[in-house]
Amino acid sequence: MLVDSHCHLDFPYLSDQLDDVLARAKDAGIGTLVTICTRVRKFEQVLVIAEAHDHIFCSVGTHPHNADEERDVALDEIVSLSKHPKVVAIGEAGLDYHYDNAPRDDQEKGFRIHIAAARETGLPLVIHTRDADEDTARILSEEMNKGPFSAVLHCFTAGHELARKGVELGLYVSFSGVLTFKKSDELRDIAAGVPMDRVLVETDAPYLSPEPMRGRRNEPANVVHTAAKLAEVKGVSNAEIARVTTNNFYARFSKAPRPEGDVAA
Ligand SMILES: [Zn+2]
Ligand SMILES: [Zn+2]
């Protein structure tokens, strides 16, 4: 069984055909799914999906793209929404200097508020970072010195140094379909170096379909292709990578109950 630790089931295309998407995920052997919040003001949209399905959980937070729209979202509000039994993570939050959709100052403030929420609740922070390796590493180090928190570098596409720093700080590193792209040799090299007890897989659906599905909309069933590539990179079987990434998921997203019958091996 595999877990899709990061998808956006409330986004059009997935939400429009959710029953079919979930049926295909089940057929592909995907167990738990985490549908990730990108706007606290739209948290309700991910929550209703999680509430309607035993195997779906959600997060709460503001994507860096929306950081300027949600300047008014305070720590207390995130913490209070996270008390819902279906909320297993904070985020996604972080820095995106590739698109710079929101001013960097707002992104950093939002990032630090979400780190504080992760620290206070004990829930893992789902970190989005793109073309912002140095600032991400700096903020993580500064904040870790204020008090520990747990986190995942989601859809990892950053460089060696941020991967190394993340692992040193106790973070998990989650790989998406980008790992399967032809041009991703450096990323595969990074993945080879991340300790086995820190790796996760995700789709980030509806974005970033892995090979051989590239060019089509992505959906959770496709996490099998990323997992297979990670197995190849690590030189282990697909069954072993499923075992490892699923164990890692329940270790880090520990508020998500492991389904009965799916025992840690
Ligand atoms: Zn993201
Ligand atoms: Zn995402």
Side-chain angles (χ1 to χ4, degrees), residues 224-244:
V224 296
H225 302 293
T226 299
K229 182 56 73 178
L230 185 60
E232 188 188 312
V233 165
K234 291 294 198 186
V236 300
S237 67
N238 289 354
E240 176 64 4
I241 215 69
R243 186 188 74 81
V244 164

Side-chain angles (χ1 to χ4, degrees), residues 56-250:
I56 302 179
F57 298 87
C58 66
S59 67
V60 60
T62 307
H63 193 287
H65 286 344
N66 311 319
D68 53 340
E69 286 172 38
E70 299 206 331
R71 286 187 189 116
D72 61 323
V73 171
L75 172 61
D76 288 355
E77 183 175 4
I78 301 170
V79 169
S80 130
L81 293 172
S82 77
K83 302 294 183 204
H84 191 287
K86 279 288 186 169
V87 177
V88 299
I90 304 294
E92 62 183 292
L95 305 173
D96 193 315
Y97 295 173
H98 182 77
Y99 289 106
D100 273 325
N101 283 356
R104 293 184 179 184
D105 197 38
D106 289 325
Q107 297 188 37
E108 176 165 346
K109 279 185 193 138
F111 190 16
R112 289 186 190 270
I113 287 171
H114 286 77
I115 289 172
R119 191 186 288 121
E120 189 169 330
T121 59
L123 297 175
L125 172 65
V126 177
I127 298 171
H128 173 107
T129 176
R130 189 149 179 215
D131 292 352
D133 292 24
E134 276 181 33
D135 281 357
T136 301
R138 174 180 57 80
I139 291 166
L140 288 173
S141 298
E142 288 171 8
E143 290 289 338
M144 204 58 89
N145 282 334
K146 293 185 198 165
F149 59 92
S150 80
V152 174
L153 292 164
H154 114 82
C155 189
F156 192 84
T157 55
H160 277 277
E161 184 52 28
L162 185 56
R164 192 199 57 74
K165 187 78 198 168
V167 168
E168 180 191 302
L169 293 172
L171 274 52
Y172 283 46
V173 183
S174 183
F175 294 97
S176 69
V178 178
L179 190 72
T180 69
F181 296 174
K182 280 193 191 70
K183 63 169 170 67
S184 296
D185 285 335
E186 190 190 342
L187 183 60
R188 285 186 282 274
D189 192 46
I190 290 170
V194 175
M196 275 295 241
D197 63 355
R198 300 294 184 81
V199 292
L200 295 168
V201 286
E202 64 171 80
T203 56
D204 207 8
Y207 308 114
L208 297 170
S209 282
E211 296 288 357
M213 315 303 279
R214 212 172 165 191
R216 288 181 247 178
R217 294 292 179 86
N218 200 7
E219 61 178 70
N222 291 336
V223 80
V224 296
H225 302 293
T226 299
K229 182 56 73 178
L230 185 60
E232 188 188 312
V233 165
K234 291 294 198 186
V236 300
S237 67
N238 289 354
E240 176 64 4
I241 215 69
R243 186 188 74 81
V244 164
T245 55
T246 299
N247 283 346
N248 290 347
F249 173 80
Y250 289 111

